[in-house]
Amino acid sequence: MEPTRTVSIIGTGSYVPEKVLTNQDLAKIVDTSDEWIHSRTGMRERHIAAADQATSDLGTEAAKAALADAGIDAEEIDLLFVATLSPDMFFPSTACFVQDKIGAKNAFCYDLGAACSGFLYSLETAKNQIACGAAKTALVIGAEKMSTFIDWEDRSTCILFGDGAGAAVIQAGGEGRGIMQAAMGSDGSLANLLWTPGGGSRNPISHEMIDQRQHYLKMQGREVFKHAVVRMAEAVNQALEKNNLRADEIKCFIPHQANIRIIDAIVKRLGIAGRVYTNVEKYANTSSAALAIAMDEAAKDGTIQQGDLVALTVFGGGFTWGANVLEWSKS
Ligand code: ACO
């Protein structure tokens, strides 16, 4: 295969499980209220997967929708990523389970771990694999069953997350500039501000670890908030600069859907009011699925159209962050 420069999204899809958990429902589980949650986060409800649905099941539904949108068969996929922090199991990868469920038998598959930034990291990695000729058609999925990894006794975290999946099919070629240059970064020195400390090789599964609830997500919310605002705003500016673009040329900004106040603070820093897509009210924070779901909804409801310039930005555990700009080439 010849190296190619332009790589474009040719289809998107998303899926959220049927069950809706409202703020009022949460107030029956922990000491909280609709007013507290909505005013601090912008969230009203989130979707929760059924007991028999694993992350790969959610990812499979989003993948099927993206393939249908792209109008291609699963066998055309030669690279498949799942970005997730809630895999079906430690190994094999959730990507391999999705591959089997959709019949993408010609793909090589792996998971990508960048917490909530995973979908943008996967998009960037897949784009580069295609651009250098190592793959032709990639299926990139962000999928999370967060409900299994959050502590339903901790009101400071359990209100924030939801389950869901989003996917995009990307391919060489396309009209316009396609997926442009990304600006990405990480800072492992701040890992302890947002992590799941138990259950891995550092602190393996034991009765003691479970009694201490170390297998659940832990977060220093205020610290995460501050870093998220600074890093996402910086990354957007860097991505714009790399691609010789100005903020006023961007039709739609799609940020990680973690909290409306984080989004509002970024909007203020970048001066982009009125051009930001949000759906955090309906789904809460679906981690690596959030950007993918928002992008799919923005495409389907006509917010973004062929030829539009779209900026994406993410922030997550690690810390990890990034931004990218793309010219929407799908009609
Ligand atoms: N309901 C009612 N009260 C609550 C709740 C709740 N669900 N949670 C916390 N409180 C209380 C606290 O106990 C505290 O009470 P105290 O003052 O008596 O001690 C008070 O509310 C204030 O708590 P803070 O944590 O300081 O509240 P804050 O205004 O910072 O809001 C929040 C908390 C919403 C978590 C905020 O810090 C935030 O959004 N941070 C970013 C988190 C985030 O988005 N993380 C994900 C990004 S990366 C990724 O997606 C993985």
Side-chain angles (χ1 to χ4, degrees):
M1 269 184 277
E2 283 297 307
T4 174
R5 279 175 179 264
T6 305
V7 177
S8 304
I9 291 177
I10 62 161
T12 59
S14 58
Y15 171 79
V16 289
E18 216 173 293
K19 184 181 169 188
V20 173
L21 188 72
T22 64
N23 291 348
Q24 285 85 357
D25 295 331
L26 277 166
K28 293 177 195 151
I29 304 172
V30 288
D31 182 12
T32 190
S33 65
D34 176 51
E35 196 282 319
W36 194 96
I37 299 172
H38 190 256
S39 63
R40 297 292 209 294
T41 68
M43 298 164 189
R44 287 280 188 210
E45 56 190 38
R46 67 285 297 138
H47 291 245
I48 302 293
D52 63 355
Q53 278 182 309
T55 296
S56 68
D57 299 316
L58 311 183
T60 295
E61 295 305 319
K64 285 179 181 168
L67 289 169
D69 190 43
I72 67 163
D73 193 83
E75 291 186 14
E76 288 182 54
I77 300 296
D78 55 5
L79 169 60
L80 193 161
F81 283 133
V82 174
T84 189
L85 59 75
S86 50
D88 286 20
M89 45 187 84
F90 272 144
F91 78 92
S93 68
T94 302
C96 283
F97 289 120
V98 174
Q99 174 197 29
D100 182 48
K101 288 176 205 285
I102 65 172
K105 58 186 184 192
N106 297 313
F108 66 101
C109 309
Y110 55 102
D111 287 357
L112 198 144
C116 299
S117 304
F119 184 75
L120 191 135
Y121 273 50
S122 302
L123 203 59
E124 175 64 7
T125 309
K127 178 197 81 178
N128 289 328
Q129 298 245 24
I130 292 172
C132 75
K136 190 165 171 290
T137 306
L139 177 57
V140 177
I141 302 163
E144 302 284 9
K145 187 178 181 185
M146 296 301 290
S147 57
T148 27
F149 292 91
I150 52 178
D151 185 346
W152 291 100
E153 292 182 11
D154 175 9
R155 67 177 182 173
S156 70
T157 53
C158 76
I159 56 141
L160 296 171
F161 296 96
D163 300 335
V169 180
I170 71 172
Q171 213 169 47
E175 287 171 27
R177 284 165 281 182
I179 304 168
M180 298 182 212
Q181 286 204 60
M184 298 181 6
S186 308
D187 184 352
S189 72
L190 300 172
N192 64 332
L193 298 179
L194 177 56
W195 66 3
T196 299
S201 57
R202 173 73 56 203
N203 186 3
I205 296 168
S206 67
H207 289 293
E208 195 190 359
M209 184 279 285
I210 290 172
D211 289 345
Q212 293 169 352
R213 309 182 81 75
Q214 296 293 304
H215 54 306
Y216 291 128
L217 181 147
K218 314 279 177 207
M219 180 173 64
Q220 305 290 322
R222 287 211 167 172
E223 285 303 309
V224 173
F225 191 110
K226 282 189 274 179
H227 287 278
V229 171
V230 172
R231 291 305 191 183
M232 282 195 275
E234 256 175 24
V236 169
N237 279 330
Q238 287 164 0
L240 290 172
E241 200 180 314
K242 274 187 167 185
N243 295 295
N244 294 315
L245 290 166
R246 297 183 314 272
D248 61 271
E249 295 176 272
I250 304 298
K251 168 80 185 308
C252 180
F253 290 83
I254 310 181
H256 176 43
Q257 306 288 312
N259 181 319
I260 201 69
R261 291 191 299 140
I262 293 178
I263 295 174
D264 288 345
I266 296 168
V267 168
K268 212 167 155 193
R269 276 176 184 241
L270 297 173
I272 55 172
R275 289 180 286 147
V276 179
Y277 196 86
T278 65
N279 61 14
V280 68
E281 189 172 40
K282 295 188 287 181
Y283 305 128
N285 181 350
T286 56
S287 184
S288 67
L291 180 66
I293 295 172
M295 191 170 73
D296 179 49
E297 288 198 344
K300 300 280 162 60
D301 72 13
T303 302
I304 50 179
Q305 295 183 3
Q306 190 164 16
D308 286 344
L309 293 178
V310 180
L312 314 173
T313 185
V314 288
F315 182 84
F319 287 149
T320 52
W321 61 86
N324 206 342
V325 186
L326 43 96
E327 183 170 337
W328 201 251
S329 61
K330 235 191 101 51
S331 53

